[in-house]
Amino acid sequence: MSPEPGLQLFFRPEKEDAVVDLVFVHGLGGGHLSTWSKGDTCWPRDLLKDDIPLATIYSYEYDSKIIKLAESTSRTSLGGHAQSLLNEIARARRDAAKHRPIIFVCHSLGGFGGQAKYYHNKEPHHAMLGSILKETLGVIFLGTPHRGSIKASIGRLTANAGKVLGASDKLLRALECDSDLLEQQRQSFDLIRRSLYIVCLREDLPMTGLGMIVPEISVFIDGSDVLKEAIPGSDHRTMAKFAARSEKGYTIVVDYIRSCLGMNNSAGVLEGLGRGADESAGEKEKLILETNLAVMNITNQCILLSLFSPDIDQRHATITPAHRSVVNSHKSTFDWIFAKPGPSFRDWLECESGGGLFWISGKAGSGKSTLAKFIANDPRLHRFLNRGDEGRVRPFLHAKFFFWAAGTATQRTQEGLYRTILFQILSKCPDLIRTVFPETWDLLLEAALEMYQAETVADRKLTKREDYKLTQHARRRTALCIDKLVALAGLRWPSSDLLNRTSKLFSAAASDDKGGPCMFVLIDGLDELVGSEEDFEELSAQIMAWSRLPGVKICVTSRPWTIFETTFGGAQSFRLQDLTSGDVAMYVSDSFGESPLVRVLQAANPRRVPDLHQSIVTKAEGVFLWVRLVVRSLLAGLRNGDELSVLQQRVDELPADLERLYKHMMERIPQRYWSTSSRLFTVVRLMTEAGSTPE
């Protein structure tokens, strides 16, 4: 017998008024019990009620097997189910405490239901529905595909998730066709989410035979205000299922719910806020929770914004991704980095007893940055780091920095490195901000409290409505105070101060014996630091010193310069060009295999074409950039009618050294292009001298 659709009550406090409503929304193919259950345990019903005892807990049931995306007016449409959810919540909250805050916990497509609830918030005849936005404190997304990836649209990703969870084929086809609708809904949600506490949790493991259902790039919403983490040891189906409080996933989700409520924060700053004598104990408790969250969030955001730079991730985004085989889509270049046995990198990740440094050296053009991007983006990094010995309970916080000599000051200096590490790690673990910036944090907290008090008093005077509650305008006050405090504080951090703060951050992890986070930092292209020889020596020594701290792992890539050999020579390492012959062969085979002309050539010369491939692989000596340039040149020659013997001769004549290859190519630019080439080179030179780079 199918469960009755609608809002199902899991728990309501008996002796005290609830201070928050928790609403759980399942995804495609799920159910209000099955999505959240492992064995006989439904954790929102059986466990959460004891950990958040002043919460009313609901789970929303809807028929997720017949939902129609395109038919927006249908009662079985995505918008229709969202409308029903709104109505159910509005009816359930028709009591004296109807203005208590709401937190949504959504799995997979349930996250789109969590977004769609805002459609009617401005229509006057939907006053009750519109008030839900004002009362919503936060949304915790578990495995929700918020955007498409390089390989798949958002509709395809959502359909894949639905397939895993048991949705119908008809629904999956509709999802794929309605990618634009899903994307529009995400963009609409993005306009109003800034005032909400947003958490994006992703699956940690691929599904057997299906791979990673919702990749990291799709599950995470952009923004420093969004909290992001993986559920260790979970795939898309199991990431919302817990049977005991000891399970890491349960601990993570409950901690975020408590943080959203401000229950993890100190209440000592609240004296003198001026609560009214007529307010109930429940209302005062809600005020404490609200003010705790708001004041500490204002303080933390002020410091984070002082560290933020808009080009922090620009270099990472522009790096060429690893080549994926056209023959086997599950195989790509650099897959071997996580293999066991392999180049010892995986052993280093999994080793809990020692942190240390891993140095990846390589010749210019050997693919160091592409490998670094592959490591940073691959979910196996998180899995192997957090695996370790069975007793490990401390998760890893991640940061990455890609030096770029041709980039902005943030991208090519030590200051940019320190700023990026601080911002990325503190954004993921705000509790460390006070540890790293103690004096500044305390001063800002006092100012934030004073500002928040003033805005609260002003809000009280602006309304005479008897049912007015302070939580109604909490998010507006928070945003206003953040802007004011940022302008008032005008925080500036000299490079020496940032260095000290970064060292304090690593020391905090190393000294934490209470299960706090370890730290993993990936630093790419250290040789592209713009500075003196002394700067290279000092930074290399500093990185080595950080890596010796317990709980800190640092992976560095660079050219094999003597200065790095001297500093990093005793660390675990490998030379990249020694390990990439298979990757180069795959790239050459795929590149030629995609050309119809090469296939004709292969049919006519079945023995000689493989010889051409092998000569390219051998002469490349692991330098990917050399291979890309040569393959492109040979394909152009083939289109111009070059025979196989001519192609082979060109390979034999090409310089193996990358710089001489560039010179060789420039000397062979046809005379008719000399004028155009000269202008282009002049533009590039002038932009480089001006500190800018062409797109």
Side-chain angles (χ1 to χ4, degrees):
M1 182 176 179
S2 300
E4 182 180 352
L7 208 60
Q8 310 294 320
L9 178 64
F10 276 169
F11 175 74
R12 174 179 285 126
E14 295 181 0
K15 297 181 180 181
E16 300 183 64
D17 291 337
V19 299
V20 64
D21 288 344
L22 303 180
V23 180
F24 289 78
V25 185
H26 65 79
L28 295 178
H32 83 281
L33 285 173
S34 61
T35 292
W36 317 103
S37 297
K38 185 176 182 179
D40 295 330
T41 302
C42 176
W43 63 271
R45 179 193 64 192
D46 303 329
L47 304 178
L48 194 61
K49 62 184 177 64
D50 295 323
D51 293 317
I52 314 288
L54 293 181
T56 301
I57 305 174
Y58 299 99
S59 184
Y60 184 63
E61 173 65 38
Y62 64 98
D63 189 346
S64 61
K65 293 181 173 61
I66 61 172
I67 186 172
K68 299 176 184 177
L69 268 292
E71 300 177 19
S72 59
T73 59
S74 169
R75 61 186 177 86
T76 59
S77 69
L78 180 61
H81 283 302
Q83 180 77 30
S84 298
L85 173 60
L86 282 172
N87 290 328
E88 290 278 332
I89 294 174
R91 281 191 289 270
R93 290 162 59 85
R94 282 177 178 161
D95 54 34
K98 63 186 176 184
H99 291 293
R100 61 181 173 260
I102 309 169
I103 298 175
F104 289 86
V105 182
C106 309
H107 180 235
S108 197
L109 186 70
F112 288 103
Q115 295 177 9
K117 64 182 180 293
Y118 303 108
Y119 280 165
H120 302 287
N121 68 326
K122 293 183 179 179
E123 296 185 17
H125 55 288
H126 286 295
M128 283 296 296
L129 305 184
S131 69
I132 293 175
L133 170 60
K134 299 176 183 178
E135 308 305 329
T136 299
L137 197 59
V139 185
I140 299 175
F141 296 105
L142 290 89
T144 298
H146 293 284
R147 76 185 79 191
S149 66
I150 295 175
K151 298 181 183 178
S153 67
I154 190 172
R156 162 63 71 176
L157 291 173
T158 309
N160 288 344
K163 182 178 181 180
V164 168
L165 300 174
S168 69
D169 291 339
K170 183 178 180 181
L171 167 58
L172 302 184
R173 288 192 297 271
L175 284 168
E176 292 184 40
C177 294
D178 284 291
S179 291
D180 290 344
L181 177 62
L182 295 174
E183 178 63 26
Q184 291 170 10
Q185 184 162 307
R186 183 196 66 78
Q187 292 175 359
S188 298
F189 175 71
D190 203 50
L191 295 175
I192 55 89
R193 70 164 179 82
R194 299 295 178 182
S195 61
L196 303 177
Y197 181 96
I198 300 294
V199 179
C200 294
L201 302 177
R202 65 171 180 82
E203 59 221 57
D204 184 40
L205 303 175
M207 298 286 294
T208 302
L210 297 173
M212 196 65 67
I213 303 303
V214 184
E216 180 177 341
I217 192 174
S218 301
V219 79
F220 288 162
I221 297 174
D222 289 335
S224 61
D225 56 328
V226 178
L227 300 170
K228 308 165 186 177
E229 192 170 345
I231 301 292
S234 70
D235 58 31
H236 190 75
R237 183 187 291 117
T238 62
M239 67 183 303
K241 299 177 182 294
F242 316 118
R245 288 185 175 84
S246 58
E247 293 190 33
K248 188 61 178 178
Y250 178 81
T251 302
I252 289 172
V253 175
V254 173
D255 188 63
Y256 279 121
I257 293 174
R258 294 174 65 86
S259 294
C260 184
L261 286 168
M263 294 171 64
N264 291 339
N265 299 331
S266 166
V269 300
L270 297 176
E271 295 301 323
L273 187 58
R275 295 185 291 270
D278 59 337
E279 289 175 343
S280 66
E283 185 62 32
K284 291 178 182 179
E285 185 170 355
K286 283 188 287 186
L287 179 59
I288 290 175
L289 293 175
E290 170 206 312
T291 308
N292 264 331
L293 176 65
V295 172
M296 298 189 69
N297 183 42
I298 292 165
T299 304
N300 289 338
Q301 287 300 316
C302 183
I303 293 176
L304 286 174
L305 288 171
S306 73
L307 297 169
F308 176 72
S309 175
D311 51 7
I312 275 180
D313 291 322
Q314 181 186 5
R315 174 57 175 161
H316 171 265
T318 60
I319 293 171
T320 302
H323 171 74
R324 188 162 293 278
S325 172
V326 298
V327 178
N328 183 356
S329 61
H330 296 291
K331 187 176 182 180
S332 73
T333 55
F334 303 124
D335 263 335
W336 48 263
I337 190 69
F338 292 112
K340 191 173 186 177
S344 73
F345 185 74
R346 175 172 164 182
D347 291 331
W348 176 74
L349 290 176
E350 292 182 321
C351 179
E352 181 181 10
S353 57
L357 181 133
F358 200 105
W359 178 37
I360 300 174
S361 67
K363 295 188 292 188
S366 59
K368 298 184 296 297
S369 293
T370 297
L371 173 59
K373 181 173 183 175
F374 180 81
I375 292 172
N377 293 353
D378 196 288
R380 287 173 289 184
L381 173 65
H382 303 262
R383 187 159 76 246
F384 295 143
L385 273 173
N386 289 292
R387 177 177 293 176
D389 301 333
E390 292 183 0
R392 173 181 289 165
V393 295
R394 296 173 66 183
F396 271 83
L397 297 173
H398 294 227
K400 61 181 183 293
F401 184 78
F402 290 74
F403 275 105
W404 192 17
T408 64
T410 300
Q411 297 165 331
R412 62 182 184 234
T413 62
Q414 298 179 59
E415 179 181 336
L417 171 66
Y418 307 147
R419 186 181 295 276
T420 300
I421 292 174
L422 287 167
F423 176 78
Q424 290 183 353
I425 290 184
L426 294 178
S427 294
K428 297 168 185 173
C429 189
D431 289 344
L432 287 173
I433 296 178
R434 187 175 188 179
T435 301
V436 177
F437 296 87
E439 306 88 355
T440 304
W441 196 92
D442 289 341
L443 291 173
L444 291 175
L445 186 72
E446 293 182 11
L449 177 59
E450 183 177 343
M451 289 180 179
Y452 198 80
Q453 287 176 337
E455 293 298 328
T456 301
V457 172
D459 278 347
R460 282 177 171 272
K461 292 179 179 179
L462 287 175
T463 181
K464 300 297 183 181
R465 290 170 49 188
E466 294 181 358
D467 63 346
Y468 174 80
K469 306 296 178 184
L470 290 180
T471 54
Q472 206 164 355
H473 295 292
R475 288 179 297 278
R476 183 197 63 79
R477 290 198 298 273
T478 298
L480 182 62
C481 289
I482 289 174
D483 291 341
K484 286 184 176 180
L485 192 58
V486 168
L488 177 66
L491 297 178
R492 298 290 184 270
W493 309 107
S495 183
S496 58
D497 195 7
L498 290 171
L499 169 59
N500 293 333
R501 307 286 183 181
T502 308
S503 297
K504 184 176 289 189
L505 175 67
F506 287 126
S507 297
S511 63
D512 192 343
D513 59 354
K514 300 180 181 179
C518 300
M519 297 181 189
F520 171 82
V521 179
L522 176 63
I523 303 173
D524 174 63
L526 187 56
D527 52 279
E528 295 204 44
L529 166 71
V530 174
S532 64
E533 185 173 346
E534 290 182 352
D535 291 331
F536 278 98
E537 291 177 350
E538 291 175 0
L539 182 56
S540 300
Q542 183 62 70
I543 291 172
M544 198 68 197
W546 288 334
S547 72
R548 293 192 180 103
L549 296 171
V552 177
K553 291 180 184 286
I554 301 179
C555 177
V556 177
T557 78
S558 74
R559 298 187 195 185
W561 290 356
T562 302
I563 190 171
F564 302 137
E565 290 277 5
T566 302
T567 308
F568 303 146
Q572 296 189 66
S573 64
F574 61 74
R575 297 194 312 171
L576 182 55
Q577 63 268 17
D578 294 343
L579 300 169
T580 54
S581 60
D583 294 336
V584 172
M586 179 199 301
Y587 176 79
V588 172
S589 178
D590 285 348
S591 299
F592 282 145
E594 291 180 321
S595 169
L597 294 174
V598 174
R599 290 196 291 269
V600 172
L601 200 64
Q602 172 76 42
N605 303 272
R607 295 184 179 180
R608 295 176 60 195
V609 170
D611 291 340
L612 176 66
H613 290 190
Q614 186 57 46
S615 63
I616 296 173
V617 174
T618 302
K619 197 163 189 177
E621 297 182 345
V623 179
F624 258 102
L625 182 55
W626 187 94
V627 177
R628 291 178 185 274
L629 295 172
V630 168
V631 168
R632 188 181 304 173
S633 175
L634 294 179
L635 289 175
L638 190 60
R639 289 191 294 269
N640 291 333
D642 289 353
E643 296 181 354
L644 181 59
S645 59
V646 176
L647 298 179
Q648 183 66 63
Q649 183 180 357
R650 291 176 64 180
V651 173
D652 295 339
E653 293 176 351
L654 287 172
D657 179 79
L658 195 59
E659 290 188 12
R660 287 194 293 123
L661 175 62
Y662 277 126
K663 183 178 180 181
H664 177 87
M665 295 171 64
M666 291 179 63
E667 289 174 347
R668 281 157 179 76
I669 295 176
Q671 186 173 356
R672 62 181 178 276
Y673 296 131
W674 285 2
S675 177
T676 301
S677 300
S678 176
R679 287 195 293 270
L680 289 174
F681 291 144
T682 300
V683 169
V684 171
R685 178 179 59 80
L686 291 174
M687 294 186 70
T688 302
E689 291 174 354
S692 180
T693 55
E695 293 295 329

